[in-house]
Amino acid sequence: MTSRSIETGTDHLMAEVSDGVAVLTMSRPERRNALSTEMGQGLQRALTECETATDVRCVVLTGAGGAFCAGGDVKGFAEGAAVSATRTFDQQVHAQRLDQRATSGVLYQMPKPTVAVLPGPAAGAGLSLALACDLRVAVEGAVLTTAFAKVGFSGDYGGSWFLTQLVGAGKAKELYYLSDRIDMAEAARLGIV
């Protein structure tokens, strides 16, 4: 059995390759693995390496501590408001687009199989990352929600497009507009997991 670590540059994302499978673990359990800037940058680094590494045949994305990913770290956004104030709105939007392309975009276009393993809840951008993967498997007690309507944001990380491909435009709009929580029985019935 061959095994190695992938350097992510942060402790918010752990990455290991073992017997051809790269396992990327979002690791901020105290915040239900909410996406931080550091996690996003680490995910970009790891996915870039996985895409071309000859010892990686499959990529698994998961979360630590019983959650997949709570989406964007809204509390962290507020804490980092001073940093954001140094950039114009257009610069911030451009940076967000680049981050989304380098994470969910790369997961979706990865030439190797990608699997999201949901040990618990996936919400907002976290759900979008899972939807970007080729396959999604989840524990029975996991729940999914688009969550964006609850925080006054539009969907991001490609989630609205990915969800439309899986469940159709009408159901995807319903899930985005109402931000209902979906249990795994309903997610399986809809073909999401």
Side-chain angles (χ1 to χ4, degrees):
M1 178 166 106
T2 60
S3 182
R4 71 176 176 92
S5 295
I6 296 174
E7 179 53 50
T8 65
T10 179
D11 60 355
H12 292 187
L13 182 77
M14 303 298 129
E16 300 282 330
V17 179
S18 181
D19 291 330
V21 179
V23 178
L24 312 180
T25 305
M26 296 175 281
S27 186
R28 296 183 72 213
E30 73 285 357
R31 294 232 179 151
R32 303 190 62 76
N33 303 319
L35 291 169
S36 65
T37 300
E38 295 85 0
M39 185 187 293
Q41 292 168 346
L43 190 54
Q44 291 174 34
R45 283 186 200 100
L47 289 171
T48 297
E49 182 169 335
C50 289
E51 195 167 22
T52 58
T54 58
D55 65 335
V56 174
R57 296 189 316 266
C58 175
V59 177
V60 173
L61 180 63
T62 192
F68 181 72
C69 179
D73 185 359
V74 178
K75 287 181 185 176
F77 297 157
E79 293 164 2
V83 174
S84 295
T86 63
R87 297 188 297 180
T88 68
F89 176 76
D90 288 339
Q91 289 170 327
Q92 292 177 52
V93 169
H94 180 68
Q96 181 75 2
R97 277 192 199 121
L98 293 176
D99 179 59
Q100 292 175 30
R101 289 178 193 151
T103 52
S104 59
V106 171
L107 277 168
Y108 180 71
Q109 295 178 338
M110 178 75 64
K112 301 168 184 182
T114 57
V115 181
V117 175
L118 287 67
L127 175 60
S128 298
L129 289 171
L131 295 172
C133 292
D134 297 319
L135 301 170
R136 287 148 304 282
V137 294
V139 300
E140 189 173 317
V143 293
L144 308 176
T145 181
T146 58
F148 292 104
K150 304 278 187 203
V151 293
F153 292 140
S154 62
D156 57 11
Y157 285 83
S160 56
W161 187 84
F162 298 134
L163 193 58
T164 299
Q165 303 309 300
L166 290 169
V167 302
K171 188 64 177 179
K173 287 177 185 177
E174 177 186 324
L175 294 172
Y176 268 88
Y177 293 162
L178 303 178
S179 290
D180 290 337
R181 293 168 52 104
I182 309 167
D183 65 21
M184 284 307 100
E186 179 67 2
R189 187 187 73 73
L190 291 171
I192 297 171
V193 296

